[in-house]
Amino acid sequence: MRRVTPPRRLLLVNGPNLNLLGTREPGIYGSATLADVERLTADTAAAYGFEVRAVQSNHEGALLDAIHEAAADCAGIVINAGAYTHTSVALRDALTGVDLPFAEVHISDVYAREEFRHHSYLTDVAVVHVVGEGIDGYATATRRLIAVLTGQADG
Ligand code: DQA
């Protein structure tokens, strides 16, 4: 059953290889680390009175478990699913299954890269979609998701 007052907490999900941020292909992903991403997201959310629980995993099932658990105590999800964006029906089903509004974010401009990155299993069910802003995209996605959650915008 839906809560009347949703918790002021977001789940931040980072998928495979995003633990390597800072050293991974810096020409594409920049030099900021996963810790920087998690801090930026938490600081952005805190400005609106939301807290953030952050998870990163290289394992698809662990990501699904974290999304399922969010249904109990989170109002929405900010997710960079990494390569699973382009491959995982299971991830899409987890997100639609818990029925939490979510923001899809990509550090790079996936549409300017290889064709296999142009398709996302998440985009058509996301309420917010941010690509190509570097790690600042996490702040944009967080602000826009909170705007949707608090009825201040439509994404
Ligand atoms: C990414 C883009 C994906 O295509 C890639 O597999 C990633 C990172 C991004 O943030 O730009 O791992 O999601």
Side-chain angles (χ1 to χ4, degrees):
M1 193 167 57
R2 284 301 244 192
R3 289 163 188 259
V4 178
T5 308
R8 291 179 83 82
R9 184 181 301 110
L10 305 178
L11 178 68
L12 169 65
V13 179
N14 278 291
N17 301 308
L18 291 164
N19 56 311
L20 299 180
L21 283 177
T23 56
R24 173 193 185 195
E25 300 182 86
I28 295 175
Y29 298 112
S31 55
T33 65
L34 178 64
D36 295 329
V37 164
E38 293 180 349
R39 196 176 315 113
L40 173 64
T41 306
D43 288 350
T44 304
Y48 300 90
F50 278 73
E51 63 178 70
V52 172
R53 180 165 73 238
V55 61
Q56 186 279 328
S57 180
N58 297 317
H59 304 276
E60 192 173 11
L63 299 174
L64 304 189
D65 289 344
I67 291 165
H68 294 176
E69 286 162 17
D73 64 354
C74 292
I77 298 174
V78 176
I79 182 166
N80 182 348
Y84 288 143
T85 304
H86 318 297
T87 63
S88 181
V89 175
L91 198 58
R92 175 196 174 94
D93 285 351
L95 289 160
T96 56
V98 297
D99 198 25
L100 290 175
F102 74 92
E104 175 184 4
V105 54
H106 299 287
I107 296 166
S108 65
D109 180 359
V110 285
Y111 303 112
R113 300 180 62 191
E114 301 95 326
E115 198 164 340
F116 61 81
R117 296 185 203 276
H118 298 185
H119 176 261
S120 164
Y121 279 104
L122 308 185
T123 304
D124 68 309
V125 285
V127 297
V128 171
H129 184 240
V130 179
V131 303
E133 292 188 13
I135 75 158
D136 288 348
Y138 287 86
T140 304
T142 300
R143 274 194 297 271
R144 288 176 57 196
L145 178 63
I146 289 172
V148 171
L149 292 171
T150 57
Q152 305 300 304
D154 60 5

